[in-house]
Amino acid sequence: MRRALSLAARGIGQVSPGPLVGCVIVSSDSEVVGEGFYIYQEVKHAETIALEQAGAKSKGATAYVTLEPHAHEGRTPPCTEALIKAGIARVVAPIEDPNPLVSGKGFARLREAGVKVQTGLLEPEAARQNEAYIHSMKRARPFVHLKLASSLDGKIATRKGDSRWITGEESRARVHELRHKYDAILVGAGTASADNPLLTDRSGKARRRALVRVVLDAELTLSPSSHLAATAKEFPLLIFTSESASESQSIVLEKLGAEVFRDAGGGRNLERVLQELGRRSIQSVLVEGGANVAGAFLDAGLVDKVSFFVAPIIIGGRDAPTAIKGTGAEKIADAIKLQDVEIRERGRDVEITGYPLRDEG
Ligand SMILES: NC(=O)c1ccc[n+]([C@@H]2O[C@H](COP(=O)([O-])OP(=O)(O)OC[C@H]3O[C@@H](n4cnc5c(N)ncnc54)[C@H](OP(=O)(O)O)[C@@H]3O)[C@@H](O)[C@H]2O)c1
């Protein structure tokens, strides 16, 4: 299963809006006879690729698949039927596919055909690997990952607005790895103007769909000479703005290739923003700030994962912005608590990642 998970990971950046899936077929005499992983463009599912490799050796073999095989007619015929036809004796798959078209039905079909089914093996790892897919299927909105870089004293810029670079090279390289996993990257108008960022995926790895750059800009203040606007023909740029924003500014930005979307309260209605992104088959969004946008997402309970890159520097200054604005908690007891926290060293910095605990009631 570990091998199947690492095969599945080769699809990162190339499967959305589908799931990451890896498959390893092990013959009855314990030989690996087939391996495969899913890439959207290649259409074929991981199981089919592995079965083709295994050929006649599939008979009586075990298929380790990282996600429940599908039992319906989609872009490909059902994988359950291919597994049954090939004579697979046992399917080991850690988790159900949350897609309502598939969920539970794949396992049921296999059992009905006499194939042994074992679930739960490396379940946490498998669920983590497909967290964006699972989330977007279950909640019908994109998975939101908030990423910020701060100093030891929680500042994200100096009192003069200088923010480059708080963290070191290792952290910044890691951010490009993160961007590679996401379908969209989102910032507020404040960050777009203060930092003039490019917001592209510079991981150097292939991706199926371009990373959609999203700016929440109610007043439509984004400068046509900004890196974001100037590269809009090359890398998609979607700006949420208000009905009342300047028409002439909008025309200039559109001519440069940006899409100006006059809805969602100019970006103030974050539920609507996410709904609109979901409508565009965007499965996951990396929110990269700034402090107001980060605070608004947290206040609205719309953050699913958090990564802070903390650098061992102290910026100080009462006017230097802290990482999160918005309303925040009144009491420590009300502070957002993270679960499944992971702490990693990134050069001299520390990356802290976790999942905000939710009252699911
Ligand atoms: N270290 C880091 O990781 C990091 C990351 C990003 C930014 N920064 C720094 O953070 C600073 C910028 O932060 P900021 O707080 O001023 O700007 P911001 O959060 O990027 O943008 C805030 C602006 O976005 C617009 N907006 C639209 N929808 C919104 C919503 N739902 N919630 C909140 N704002 C919304 C508002 O302007 P309109 O009313 O005009 O729409 C608002 O003034 C800069 O100094 C930058 O260098 C640091």
Side-chain angles (χ1 to χ4, degrees):
M1 189 55 74
R2 284 201 197 284
R3 172 73 185 149
L5 285 166
S6 79
L7 286 168
R10 294 199 200 163
I12 290 174
Q14 307 208 61
V15 296
S16 174
L20 291 162
V21 190
C23 177
V24 175
I25 296 178
V26 180
S27 68
S28 48
D29 49 3
S30 301
E31 188 196 346
V32 171
V33 290
E35 291 189 333
F37 61 95
Y38 177 59
I39 284 182
Y40 186 92
Q41 223 67 15
E42 301 205 346
V43 183
K44 275 185 191 171
H45 284 191
E47 299 93 312
T48 317
I49 298 166
L51 285 171
E52 280 176 5
Q53 266 177 33
K57 291 182 177 166
S58 302
K59 205 157 183 56
T62 296
Y64 293 85
V65 199
T66 58
L67 188 68
E68 177 182 13
H70 74 126
H72 71 288
E73 196 72 36
R75 286 203 307 152
T76 68
C79 281
T80 47
E81 302 318 298
L83 291 161
I84 294 163
K85 202 169 148 210
I88 290 288
R90 188 165 75 113
V91 168
V92 182
I95 50 173
E96 277 190 8
D97 189 327
N99 181 346
L101 286 171
V102 184
S103 204
K105 295 186 186 116
F107 289 150
R109 172 69 191 118
L110 290 169
R111 286 192 176 108
E112 182 191 279
V115 178
K116 274 196 201 131
V117 173
Q118 185 193 329
T119 61
L121 181 65
L122 299 186
E123 182 179 344
E125 288 86 343
R128 177 71 61 90
Q129 184 176 62
N130 265 316
E131 61 191 4
Y133 171 75
I134 293 170
H135 174 98
S136 66
M137 277 288 164
K138 286 193 172 162
R139 289 183 188 256
R141 69 156 174 84
F143 182 76
V144 175
H145 187 165
L146 171 65
K147 171 253 138 188
L148 285 170
S150 79
S151 62
L152 211 51
D153 53 335
K155 307 284 190 190
I156 58 166
T158 68
R159 66 193 153 85
K160 294 280 189 194
D162 185 28
S163 67
R164 288 211 170 132
W165 297 104
I166 290 177
T167 48
E169 258 173 48
E170 285 92 338
S171 293
R172 300 207 304 275
R174 166 75 182 143
V175 168
H176 285 284
E177 289 291 317
L178 276 183
R179 287 183 182 178
H180 182 65
K181 289 185 177 181
Y182 285 79
D183 292 341
I185 182 165
L186 181 149
V187 296
T191 298
S193 115
D195 295 354
N196 191 16
L198 191 53
L199 301 181
T200 52
D201 166 1
R202 299 194 283 281
S203 65
K205 296 179 180 167
R207 54 185 302 139
R208 182 174 96 77
R209 300 188 296 180
L211 179 67
V212 178
R213 303 172 303 165
V214 181
V215 181
L216 306 184
D217 187 5
E219 306 297 326
L220 206 52
T221 53
L222 185 69
S223 163
S225 61
S226 62
H227 287 141
L228 283 167
T231 56
K233 286 210 170 94
E234 216 181 325
F235 308 109
L237 176 64
L238 172 62
I239 307 168
F240 283 86
T241 196
S242 58
E243 292 291 350
S244 58
S246 153
E247 189 59 45
S248 55
Q249 170 79 343
S250 164
I251 291 168
V252 172
L253 290 167
E254 280 166 350
K255 273 206 180 123
L256 288 168
E259 182 181 350
V260 178
F261 191 77
R262 289 171 185 272
D263 191 10
R268 291 272 156 71
N269 183 340
L270 295 176
E271 296 262 8
R272 271 288 303 131
V273 169
L274 293 180
Q275 218 175 52
E276 179 55 30
L277 297 181
R279 204 185 59 75
R280 293 161 186 252
S281 294
I282 287 174
Q283 191 184 77
S284 57
V285 184
L286 187 65
V287 174
E288 288 207 14
N292 279 295
V293 161
F297 268 96
L298 284 166
D299 286 345
L302 291 172
V303 175
D304 305 303
K305 185 172 185 176
V306 173
S307 293
F308 266 63
F309 293 81
V310 183
I313 60 168
I314 297 166
I315 293 177
R318 80 178 76 80
D319 296 330
T322 55
I324 312 286
K325 291 188 178 166
T327 310
E330 205 173 297
K331 298 185 191 133
I332 294 295
D334 301 331
I336 295 167
K337 291 157 199 79
L338 301 185
Q339 59 185 348
D340 298 331
V341 174
E342 281 175 12
I343 302 173
R344 290 206 177 82
E345 282 181 34
R346 302 281 178 209
R348 296 184 67 213
D349 309 328
V350 174
E351 176 188 354
I352 303 172
T353 294
Y355 298 80
L357 252 177
R358 276 211 178 84
D359 181 5
E360 297 286 348

